[in-house]
Amino acid sequence: MSVSAISQPRPALPGPAARPRRRRFSAVTPFTYLVAVVLVGVTAVPLLFVIIDGFRSNAQINSSATALPHPWVWHNYSVLLTSSAFWQPLKNSAIIALIATVLVVWLGSMAAFALSRYAFRGRESIFMLFAVGLLFPLNAASLPLYLLLGKIGLLDNLFGVALPEAAFGLPITIVILRPFMRGIPAELEDAAVVDGATRIRFFWRILLPLSRPALATVAVLAFVQSWNTYLLPLLVFTSTQHFTLPLAVANFQTQYAQDTASILAFTALSMVPALGCFVFAQRHLVGGFTGAVKG
Amino acid sequence: MPVAGGEDIDIHLRQLTADQVATPAGKSRPRLRRRLELTLFLSPALLLFAGFVLLPIGFAAYDGLFRWTGFGPLGNFAGLYNYRLVLSDPVFRESFLHNVIIVIASIVVQLPLGLGMALLLNRRFRGRSFLRMLAFAPFVLPYATTAVMWLLLLQPAGFVDQVMKMVGLGGLVQLWLANLHLVIYTMIVVLTWQFFGFAMILMLAGLQGIPAELREAAALDGASAWQTTWRITLPLLGPTIRIWMFLSIVGSLQVFDQVWIMTGGGPANASSTMATYLIFRGFQSYEFGYGSAVAVIMFAICFIFALVYQRFVLRRDTRGALTRVVG
């Protein structure tokens, strides 16, 4: 929306001529629906299985793997929802993801600004340094990170996970933000300078608001990344009170291997926050991708 | 981009002109102030990046030179012994091979799937946004969670087996996670389920970046939908596809969560990847020096791949991207 203000005026087709074309593009073949049904089946059925099976008792599950709950058992969910087994890891995951996301967006947008709208010696080398970071996956770095965190006393500490996650999120953030910020016309900056604004003011008041779609994209990416990370917390956290959600689910699965019903309920519950946020944020996500391209 | 000769300010101006088309107002800023601004903007990110990305990698490269169990000071200096040991270990080679299989399978399966879905879901029809959301949903779920989910689904006589029996495919039922020859392909199915939505959403974004006018013009000129797709849409989608491939390959080289939770790399290393090998050797047996060497080798593999990819595949794109921004 804010981007459309600065995008080039589209060479408009004459209205009447454009209309029928649009309609032709919207033709829906039966094939589309067939694929859609398969997609729904493949994607949704496993998820529904977990959620629905969480409403069955172990006896029901053992007698048949595919039957619907009969009767519906609320016990599995209610036990989890009234204990800290679910809430504590949820809280930990949220705190870590928030810290990592705020750091990534904050530091990343500042760096991307410097790398996109300043000219200085070594600019491309610094950008390359960050870009090369894309190749260093967090998983491969987890053992060295574990040793480093041990040296600086951040083991079994929420920051011991949040800081590395933020650091490893910087490359993709900068790689996405830099071209976006570059694409914002220089005329805007000139106008701001003519009006007496400093560069910093231009950054805060004009560039950041205009970059909102791209910022939303990188924020969501950072959050999802952090929310999903399993290996680093697995190594860093020793006390269960610090466990993040993925860790807690995997741990629950090994600890209560016999209690399939509870494992299913726990797995289903642990999907809810991610799915909920996603449904809420997907408009921004897809919009962000689109905006990034249009800008 | 290097610009030859000239005074500092001059370079500044000329670069801006080259990079951003429009000429900035010819205002010169005091150099000191510019320095300060740059430091303010750049150093926090650089510090964080150096501290938690570059430093550990440096340490790992160093630690890999020692026989070290992680307790107390570094053990005996061993030179490149650990590195040679890793590279000659058949289990590591097998793990690497599994990563390569995953890389190839992701491209061969996910690219057509993601692209096809994107083309389909780029049309206007009822329920489109719901379908987009649904296809992308697995990607946003924590891998560890979906791994536990698939572990339960794939139990012997579990949900998958039962459904196959119900549709008359009971004869094809296998021990999905215990069959030595099958397990890696089971993993590929799980990984495809999780990641194809990401391919799709990237392609969708790419598609939306292609001005509708281009396709409309082609259609006006009498091109069929098929021709428009092959001759206009796909070539213009090239950069998106190549970027996706890059991300997909780097991701495939570091697969861990799903394998670790579902099989632990077993049975008999039949599904192990470099990352599970790293954790297994480094932590289960407390060989930190050896583990560090594995980590460094993993980095090196990613790095070499990226250099090659950048050199031969992405080069055109960066050039294209620049001209697009400028023109």
Side-chain angles (χ1 to χ4, degrees), chain B residues 281-300:
Chain B
R281 289 302 295 263
F283 275 85
Q284 312 289 67
S285 359
Y286 290 101
E287 299 171 77
F288 284 133
Y290 188 85
S292 299
V294 179
V296 171
I297 291 171
M298 262 181 87
F299 282 135

Side-chain angles (χ1 to χ4, degrees), chain A residues 184-196:
Chain A
I184 292 174
E187 287 89 343
L188 273 179
E189 188 170 353
D190 303 337
V193 171
V194 168
D195 287 350

Side-chain angles (χ1 to χ4, degrees), chain A residues 10-11 13 21-22 24-29 31-33 35-36 39-40 42-47 49-50 65-66 107 110-111 113-120 123-124 126 129-130 132-149 151-152 154 163-164 166-168 170-172 174 182-183 186-187 190 193-194 198-200 203 224-225 227-231 234-235 246 249-250 253 260 263-264 267 270-271 274-275 278-279 282 285-286 289-290 293, chain B residues 1 12 15-16 19-20 22-25 27 29 33-34 37-38 40-42 44-46 48-49 51-57 59-60 63 68 117 120-121 123-126 129-146 148-153 157-159 162-163 166 193 196 201-202 205 208-209 212-213 215-216 219-220 223-225 246-247 250 254-257 260-261 275 278-279 282-283 288 291-292 295 298-299 302-303 306 322 325:
Chain A
R10 286 172 163 228
L13 281 174
R21 294 284 154 228
R22 281 274 148 80
R24 228 186 76 180
F25 269 79
S26 74
V28 178
T29 57
F31 177 68
T32 310
Y33 276 118
V35 175
L39 175 73
V40 172
V42 170
T43 316
V45 166
L47 299 177
F49 157 79
V50 174
T66 45
L107 304 189
M110 289 200 313
F113 175 65
L115 291 170
S116 62
R117 307 196 71 101
Y118 281 79
F120 58 94
R123 180 180 71 170
E124 295 306 311
I126 293 179
L129 188 71
F130 280 118
V132 161
L134 275 180
L135 314 172
F136 295 149
L138 183 56
N139 275 358
S142 51
L143 175 80
L145 268 172
Y146 169 81
L147 298 173
L148 175 79
L149 292 169
K151 278 178 198 147
I152 57 178
L154 277 179
L163 290 178
F168 276 83
L170 279 175
I172 186 74
I174 291 173
R182 231 179 216 219
E187 287 89 343
D190 303 337
V193 171
V194 168
T198 61
R199 282 262 192 138
I200 296 173
F203 172 69
V224 169
Q225 202 75 46
W227 192 265
N228 285 343
T229 306
Y230 169 67
L231 177 51
L234 175 71
L235 302 182
V249 173
Q253 187 265 325
T260 313
I263 299 171
L264 283 160
T267 311
S270 74
M271 289 174 173
L275 282 179
F278 168 60
V279 170
Q282 69 100 25
L285 187 69
V286 180
F289 276 124
T290 323
V293 178
Chain B
M1 312 272 131
H12 174 208
Q15 277 196 331
L16 276 181
D19 289 342
Q20 295 158 351
T23 326
K27 272 202 168 186
R29 226 172 307 274
R33 193 194 155 84
R34 244 171 57 83
E37 283 173 15
L38 267 178
L40 173 78
F41 281 123
L42 260 182
L46 271 175
L48 188 71
F49 187 72
F52 289 102
V53 179
L54 302 179
L55 199 63
I57 294 167
F59 277 151
D63 292 347
W68 182 42
M117 290 305 303
L120 218 70
L121 293 182
R123 303 181 177 190
R124 285 160 217 276
F125 63 91
R126 196 176 283 273
S129 50
F130 173 74
L131 283 177
R132 276 186 191 178
M133 214 163 78
L134 195 65
F136 194 51
F139 179 69
V140 300
L141 292 172
Y143 312 153
T145 314
T146 53
V148 172
M149 179 188 88
W150 281 105
L151 184 64
L152 296 168
L153 282 167
F159 185 79
Q162 296 274 342
V163 168
M166 274 159 61
W193 182 84
F196 92 92
I201 213 86
L202 267 192
Q208 282 164 19
E213 288 84 1
R215 272 174 291 173
E216 283 168 5
L220 277 178
S224 68
F246 181 80
L247 295 174
V250 171
Q254 62 150 336
V255 168
F256 175 82
D257 301 3
W260 188 252
I261 289 171
L278 161 70
I279 295 309
F283 275 85
F288 284 133
S292 299
M298 262 181 87
F299 282 135
C302 287
F303 193 69
L322 277 182
V325 168

Side-chain angles (χ1 to χ4, degrees), chain B:
Chain B
M1 312 272 131
V3 179
E7 218 182 312
D8 194 23
I9 306 279
D10 244 297
I11 294 175
H12 174 208
L13 285 184
R14 251 192 265 165
Q15 277 196 331
L16 276 181
T17 325
D19 289 342
Q20 295 158 351
V21 199
T23 326
K27 272 202 168 186
S28 65
R29 226 172 307 274
R31 282 175 77 172
L32 181 67
R33 193 194 155 84
R34 244 171 57 83
R35 278 272 148 80
L36 272 175
E37 283 173 15
L38 267 178
T39 317
L40 173 78
F41 281 123
L42 260 182
S43 54
L46 271 175
L47 275 179
L48 188 71
F49 187 72
F52 289 102
V53 179
L54 302 179
L55 199 63
I57 294 167
F59 277 151
Y62 182 70
D63 292 347
L65 298 172
F66 295 85
R67 284 185 212 187
W68 182 42
T69 51
F71 301 110
L74 290 172
N76 297 327
F77 182 78
L80 294 178
Y81 175 78
N82 280 330
Y83 294 95
R84 249 180 279 144
L85 209 60
V86 174
L87 290 174
S88 61
D89 181 2
V91 179
F92 177 78
R93 290 183 179 186
E94 199 184 341
S95 308
F96 174 66
L97 185 70
H98 292 151
N99 280 111
V100 173
I101 294 176
I102 293 172
V103 166
I104 294 170
S106 329
I107 291 173
V108 172
V109 179
Q110 287 177 38
L111 180 59
L113 209 61
L115 194 56
M117 290 305 303
L119 284 171
L120 218 70
L121 293 182
N122 198 34
R123 303 181 177 190
R124 285 160 217 276
F125 63 91
R126 196 176 283 273
R128 170 176 81 156
S129 50
F130 173 74
L131 283 177
R132 276 186 191 178
M133 214 163 78
L134 195 65
F136 194 51
F139 179 69
V140 300
L141 292 172
Y143 312 153
T145 314
T146 53
V148 172
M149 179 188 88
W150 281 105
L151 184 64
L152 296 168
L153 282 167
L154 291 167
Q155 288 303 308
F159 185 79
V160 169
D161 290 2
Q162 296 274 342
V163 168
M164 285 182 74
K165 266 183 203 143
M166 274 159 61
V167 297
L169 293 172
L172 294 177
V173 166
Q174 301 283 342
L175 291 172
W176 304 110
L177 296 173
N179 182 321
L180 283 176
H181 304 291
L182 204 67
V183 64
I184 187 72
Y185 300 100
T186 309
M187 285 301 163
I188 286 170
V189 171
V190 172
L191 292 170
T192 306
W193 182 84
Q194 180 115 45
F195 290 116
F196 92 92
F198 179 66
M200 185 201 74
I201 213 86
L202 267 192
M203 306 295 168
L204 265 175
L207 283 176
Q208 282 164 19
I210 299 173
E213 288 84 1
L214 277 180
R215 272 174 291 173
E216 283 168 5
L220 277 178
D221 287 347
S224 68
W226 184 253
Q227 281 174 318
T228 320
T229 304
W230 274 103
R231 296 294 182 81
I232 294 179
T233 310
L234 283 186
L236 283 173
L237 215 50
T240 311
I241 293 174
R242 288 190 283 268
I243 291 283
W244 170 79
M245 265 173 70
F246 181 80
L247 295 174
S248 167
I249 294 172
V250 171
S252 300
L253 286 174
Q254 62 150 336
V255 168
F256 175 82
D257 301 3
Q258 292 92 343
V259 175
W260 188 252
I261 289 171
M262 291 174 68
T263 67
N269 300 315
S271 62
S272 67
T273 63
M274 290 192 288
T276 64
Y277 177 84
L278 161 70
I279 295 309
F280 184 73
R281 289 302 295 263
F283 275 85
Q284 312 289 67
S285 359
Y286 290 101
E287 299 171 77
F288 284 133
Y290 188 85
S292 299
V294 179
V296 171
I297 291 171
M298 262 181 87
F299 282 135
I301 289 172
C302 287
F303 193 69
I304 292 167
F305 151 73
L307 283 186
V308 172
Y309 196 82
Q310 166 82 22
R311 178 81 177 74
F312 292 105
V313 185
L314 280 184
R315 186 160 245 206
R316 275 181 297 167
D317 292 335
T318 20
R319 205 181 295 151
L322 277 182
T323 35
R324 217 170 308 137
V325 168
V326 173

